[in-house]
Amino acid sequence: MPIDFERQLNPQQLEAVRHGDGPVLVIAGAGSGKTRTIVYRLAHLAERGVPPEQILLLTFTRKAAQEMVSRAGALLGRPLAGAGGGTFHSFAYSVLRRHPQLASDTGNLTLMDRGDAEDALREVRDGLGLGKSDRSFPKRATMADLITKARNKEVELKDLLEREAFHLLPYLADLEQVAAGYETFKRGHGLLDYDDLLFLLERALSEQEWLRTELRARFRHVMVDEYQDTNLVQARIVRLLAGESGNVMAVGDDAQSIYAFRGANVANILEFPKIFTGARIIRLERNYRSTQPILDLTNEILAGAAQKFDKRLVAARHGGDLPLLVQPLSDQSQARQVLNTVMELSRRHPLHEIAVLFRAGYQSFPLEAALTQLGMAYQKYGGIRFHEAAHIKDALAYLRLTRNPGDMLSWQRALAHIRGIGPKTALRIAQAILAGDQPALQKKIKKHTGLDALLRDLDTLRRTAKTPAGALEQVLAFYTPVLVAQFPDDYPKRQAGLEQLLQIAAGYQDLDSFLADLSLDGEQQEARRDDALVLSTVHSAKGLEWDAVLLIDLVQDRFPSKKAQARPEDLEEERRLLYVACTRARDELVLFVPGSLYNRYNGCTEPALPSPFVSELPEACFRRVQESYLGGMRPAACPEPARRPGPEAEPRETGTTSPPRAAPETLGRCKHKIFGPGKIVAKLEDNKYRVNFPGFGLKVIVGDYLEML
């Protein structure tokens, strides 16, 4: 029986499915039935008489391609046997395997997996004599990540380190040597890695006209899923396979391009109509997931995008409440308010249909501690769970020893960072301390450099620690150099996690209670559970959906992240990331914008600036409530509507308690040793100034540290 396309598809989906020859770009908004459209397109081509072996479907996972081909076969009532479907890498490998002379002079084609590549890098590093006595030298996994990322982004290693791993810049020359040696090693041993597959296929398609002719004749229809996630070389391969006016259908959403850190380039989808002559653009705007009030808010998020395909999502469903914008007093009280909101939502939705999303994994640490204290189960996706992070365990081990000198596990952890001390030696040292065996202890101190200093630090900590926060401050003073030495590849990220631990500690007065609450965490469950709250980074949440979604830390320097504010293209990706987060919600959406952030460096709570993406939203898009000084939540007074920031616009402060600030142009400009030039926006008491530093946002700085311009 023929498929009734008209009844089973909406008009825009039907238009895409029935598109004839020539290039077409399908802009598939969130929840608009993208996969359904591809499946019906496959079935339509087959029903139209196109042999399945003339169809090539490129996806980002083999599983996705197999499922689409299988579903198309089910629609047809017969298998879609012969249709080419898979990842870019698997397709490239299949072509090069049939024509091995294109890959190497010898015709041999030996493909390395990730483990093989890391082993090869170790061989190269050791052969160059690098990192032999330097424990801070980047690990082979980190070297592999950096080399493949630079290659996929097609940037120099220097540029990559400056943008994403500045702390590894001292090793730039060494890493460049390793990268060059790695290429020589592969050629000398007839080896290829995954990245080679793409670049070799591109070279072959560019240089060998017979190959282009063969593949274009074989694959009359090329379809690419998630086109916004392609990198530069993948987009060039598509162009070489299809030709500038060939039968290529690219399906994706520029507003969901959030993987630049992997090499994805949003320009590929934005420039598709320029690259492919006469390309038709079809927009899928009917959303089958969310309510219209949620979509109204997400449409406004996209309205401020600098470059985009215009679209406006319309709900297929009726009804729905306005999203809620919650303003806790601080990031320290945010976890409690999130917990209260989750408990309220759990009356209407199963716990596993509620998700708390965040920009970076460490941002959920205070909430994880609160959930553990309450005994509410949760599962975390993306980032490391708070209680599993090695650096968090290290810091807590020092604190536990102040309360229980007989804690042998903590002794093993605390002493493990001293060269030459393993688990058995650590136990002997701890036993000598507990037994008062000074001769044995002094013998160990003479043998192990650093042991005496650590024991003195622990003694000082045990004598002087008053509050959990104060104790942790002391720990961080002597542990930070250890952190940098032990985790040279990613210590900046781990430092952020320790900052969150300090924030949690600030809410306690008793060290025993603090340690007890952090020790009650249950076991991690990999399989999805029906009785657990979902915690997830936004990146890990893409492609998923829940009845209710809560977003936390929607303030400047956290969402968008501080690092993303240095370059306009990175800031635009942060906007898209927020769009992806909000479109995960089916029925309820709650945004949390804390009014202040704790700064451990000066021991003060400083005003937080709302995320610029939130500040520019019209008030009609949400209901606003704020935490009262007396406890509980109350409707908030609406601030003056924020204009969408332009190139010269400054961040806007919101709230009803802040004093009006003077016009920035009357207060002049200044320069800071770290943050660079800035504009003074307010003069405060005690010789302090509020300064807007481009790329860093608002900072409160003592006047002595500013150079007035």
Side-chain angles (χ1 to χ4, degrees), residues 571-618:
L571 193 60
E572 283 299 293
E573 180 158 313
E574 295 287 301
R575 177 188 297 279
R576 298 192 294 269
L577 200 59
L578 180 60
Y579 168 81
V580 167
C582 293
T583 53
R584 301 309 94 196
R586 296 191 197 102
D587 303 315
E588 302 194 56
L589 176 64
V590 188
L591 312 177
F592 285 84
V593 185
S596 59
L597 302 176
Y598 178 73
N599 185 335
R600 84 173 183 90
Y601 294 103
N602 59 20
C604 297
T605 296
E606 299 177 347
L609 205 62
S611 167
F613 311 133
V614 172
S615 295
E616 68 187 37
L617 291 174

Side-chain angles (χ1 to χ4, degrees), residues 181-351:
Y182 176 59
E183 292 301 315
T184 302
F185 181 91
K186 286 187 295 180
R187 287 195 300 271
H189 293 79
L191 299 171
L192 302 176
D193 61 22
Y194 290 136
D195 298 329
D196 291 327
L197 295 175
L198 299 181
F199 288 97
L200 284 172
L201 177 61
E202 182 203 7
R203 187 182 72 183
L205 287 169
S206 299
E207 297 176 355
Q208 308 297 332
E209 185 178 354
W210 64 266
L211 182 64
R212 290 198 306 275
T213 302
E214 175 189 310
L215 292 179
R216 288 178 184 178
R218 181 180 175 190
F219 299 113
R220 297 287 185 181
H221 291 272
V222 178
M223 300 175 64
V224 188
D225 185 26
E226 303 285 12
Y227 197 74
Q228 78 278 353
D229 293 336
T230 55
N231 62 21
L232 292 171
V233 67
Q234 288 167 335
R236 293 196 297 268
I237 287 172
V238 171
R239 184 176 182 178
L240 288 164
L241 284 172
E244 293 182 10
S245 57
N247 297 330
V248 56
M249 173 179 280
V251 184
D253 184 6
D254 56 298
Q256 296 187 70
S257 180
I258 60 172
Y259 294 118
F261 66 93
R262 294 182 189 166
N265 195 316
V266 70
N268 289 342
I269 192 168
L270 291 173
E271 296 178 3
F272 186 94
K274 298 178 184 177
I275 294 170
F276 293 94
T277 306
R280 185 176 178 183
I281 301 175
I282 300 172
R283 294 169 171 82
L284 305 184
E285 298 176 300
R286 182 169 290 261
N287 177 285
Y288 295 92
R289 176 187 302 154
S290 307
T291 62
Q292 192 59 51
I294 292 174
L295 296 181
D296 288 340
L297 184 141
T298 60
N299 287 333
E300 288 296 336
I301 292 172
L302 288 188
Q307 288 184 300
K308 63 181 183 294
F309 286 105
D310 287 325
K311 62 179 174 294
R312 193 159 189 87
L313 297 181
V314 178
R317 305 165 54 192
H318 297 290
D321 295 328
L322 282 175
L324 185 65
L325 189 147
V326 179
Q327 294 177 296
L329 289 171
S330 70
D331 55 350
Q332 293 172 281
S333 66
Q334 178 179 239
R336 183 176 65 253
Q337 297 303 335
V338 170
L339 206 54
N340 291 342
T341 305
V342 167
M343 293 175 71
E344 172 65 25
L345 289 169
S346 66
R347 300 176 185 175
R348 303 187 290 276
H349 309 287
L351 203 55

Side-chain angles (χ1 to χ4, degrees), residues 411 415 418 421 425-449 451-456 459:
W411 276 116
L415 297 173
I418 297 176
I421 297 182
T425 303
L427 286 178
R428 286 195 286 270
I429 292 171
Q431 288 166 354
I433 291 171
L434 294 173
D437 188 347
Q438 286 300 312
L441 183 60
Q442 289 303 316
K443 188 175 180 181
K444 295 293 183 184
I445 288 174
K446 289 181 181 178
K447 184 177 180 181
H448 300 288
T449 304
L451 177 58
D452 184 52
L454 175 61
L455 295 179
R456 290 180 186 277
D459 264 340

Side-chain angles (χ1 to χ4, degrees), residues 12-50:
Q12 292 74 35
Q13 291 172 335
L14 184 63
E15 182 184 1
V17 166
R18 286 185 166 170
H19 172 74
D21 293 339
V24 58
L25 175 62
V26 179
I27 300 297
S32 63
K34 170 182 68 69
T35 301
R36 182 181 184 85
T37 302
I38 295 173
V39 168
Y40 275 79
R41 169 70 173 176
L42 289 170
H44 175 70
L45 288 174
E47 196 176 75
R48 208 178 84 186
V50 176

Side-chain angles (χ1 to χ4, degrees), residues 535-646:
L535 308 183
S536 178
T537 61
V538 180
H539 283 103
S540 296
K542 188 175 183 290
L544 304 176
E545 57 188 73
W546 295 271
D547 287 349
V549 168
L550 297 77
L551 271 74
I552 63 173
D553 275 352
L554 289 175
V555 293
Q556 196 148 304
D557 293 350
R558 293 192 181 178
F559 204 146
S561 68
K562 181 181 294 186
K563 190 163 59 174
Q565 297 174 60
R567 301 195 314 154
E569 56 266 41
D570 293 339
L571 193 60
E572 283 299 293
E573 180 158 313
E574 295 287 301
R575 177 188 297 279
R576 298 192 294 269
L577 200 59
L578 180 60
Y579 168 81
V580 167
C582 293
T583 53
R584 301 309 94 196
R586 296 191 197 102
D587 303 315
E588 302 194 56
L589 176 64
V590 188
L591 312 177
F592 285 84
V593 185
S596 59
L597 302 176
Y598 178 73
N599 185 335
R600 84 173 183 90
Y601 294 103
N602 59 20
C604 297
T605 296
E606 299 177 347
L609 205 62
S611 167
F613 311 133
V614 172
S615 295
E616 68 187 37
L617 291 174
E619 286 287 329
C621 284
F622 52 79
R623 295 170 291 135
R624 184 192 296 264
V625 296
Q626 63 184 190
E627 185 178 4
S628 167
Y629 291 116
L630 300 175
M633 308 299 294
R634 62 177 177 78
C638 295
E640 178 186 347
R643 64 180 177 89
R644 184 161 288 125

Side-chain angles (χ1 to χ4, degrees), residues 362-618:
Y362 73 85
Q363 289 174 276
S364 69
F365 287 176
L367 178 59
E368 290 179 56
L371 289 167
T372 299
Q373 187 177 12
L374 184 66
M376 182 180 289
Y378 69 91
Q379 288 183 287
K380 183 175 180 179
Y381 301 92
I384 301 174
R385 279 193 14 148
F386 175 57
H387 301 79
E388 296 172 342
H391 52 291
I392 299 295
K393 289 182 175 180
D394 287 347
L396 294 178
Y398 297 126
L399 294 179
R400 288 193 178 101
L401 289 174
T402 68
R403 310 303 298 164
N404 179 14
D407 183 345
M408 292 301 170
L409 291 177
S410 291
W411 276 116
Q412 287 181 327
R413 188 155 206 107
L415 297 173
H417 300 304
I418 297 176
R419 186 182 293 273
I421 297 182
K424 292 182 180 179
T425 303
L427 286 178
R428 286 195 286 270
I429 292 171
Q431 288 166 354
I433 291 171
L434 294 173
D437 188 347
Q438 286 300 312
L441 183 60
Q442 289 303 316
K443 188 175 180 181
K444 295 293 183 184
I445 288 174
K446 289 181 181 178
K447 184 177 180 181
H448 300 288
T449 304
L451 177 58
D452 184 52
L454 175 61
L455 295 179
R456 290 180 186 277
D457 286 333
L458 289 173
D459 264 340
T460 301
L461 179 65
R462 190 159 55 92
R463 290 196 316 270
T464 60
K466 302 296 182 185
T467 64
L472 192 56
E473 286 276 11
Q474 293 183 55
V475 167
L476 296 185
F478 63 78
Y479 177 64
T480 297
V482 175
L483 177 78
V484 174
Q486 288 295 122
F487 307 102
D489 296 1
D490 65 350
Y491 72 84
K493 191 179 298 184
R494 294 177 186 268
Q495 281 180 319
L498 290 171
E499 294 294 329
Q500 293 296 76
L501 180 62
L502 189 62
Q503 177 183 316
I504 297 168
Y508 287 80
Q509 292 301 315
D510 176 63
L511 187 58
D512 289 327
S513 298
F514 172 65
L515 292 172
D517 284 350
L518 294 181
S519 302
L520 295 174
D521 186 42
E523 294 183 2
Q524 168 75 326
Q525 300 287 334
E526 292 300 328
R528 193 160 178 182
R529 294 166 46 186
D530 289 342
D531 60 342
L533 176 71
V534 176
L535 308 183
S536 178
T537 61
V538 180
H539 283 103
S540 296
K542 188 175 183 290
L544 304 176
E545 57 188 73
W546 295 271
D547 287 349
V549 168
L550 297 77
L551 271 74
I552 63 173
D553 275 352
L554 289 175
V555 293
Q556 196 148 304
D557 293 350
R558 293 192 181 178
F559 204 146
S561 68
K562 181 181 294 186
K563 190 163 59 174
Q565 297 174 60
R567 301 195 314 154
E569 56 266 41
D570 293 339
L571 193 60
E572 283 299 293
E573 180 158 313
E574 295 287 301
R575 177 188 297 279
R576 298 192 294 269
L577 200 59
L578 180 60
Y579 168 81
V580 167
C582 293
T583 53
R584 301 309 94 196
R586 296 191 197 102
D587 303 315
E588 302 194 56
L589 176 64
V590 188
L591 312 177
F592 285 84
V593 185
S596 59
L597 302 176
Y598 178 73
N599 185 335
R600 84 173 183 90
Y601 294 103
N602 59 20
C604 297
T605 296
E606 299 177 347
L609 205 62
S611 167
F613 311 133
V614 172
S615 295
E616 68 187 37
L617 291 174

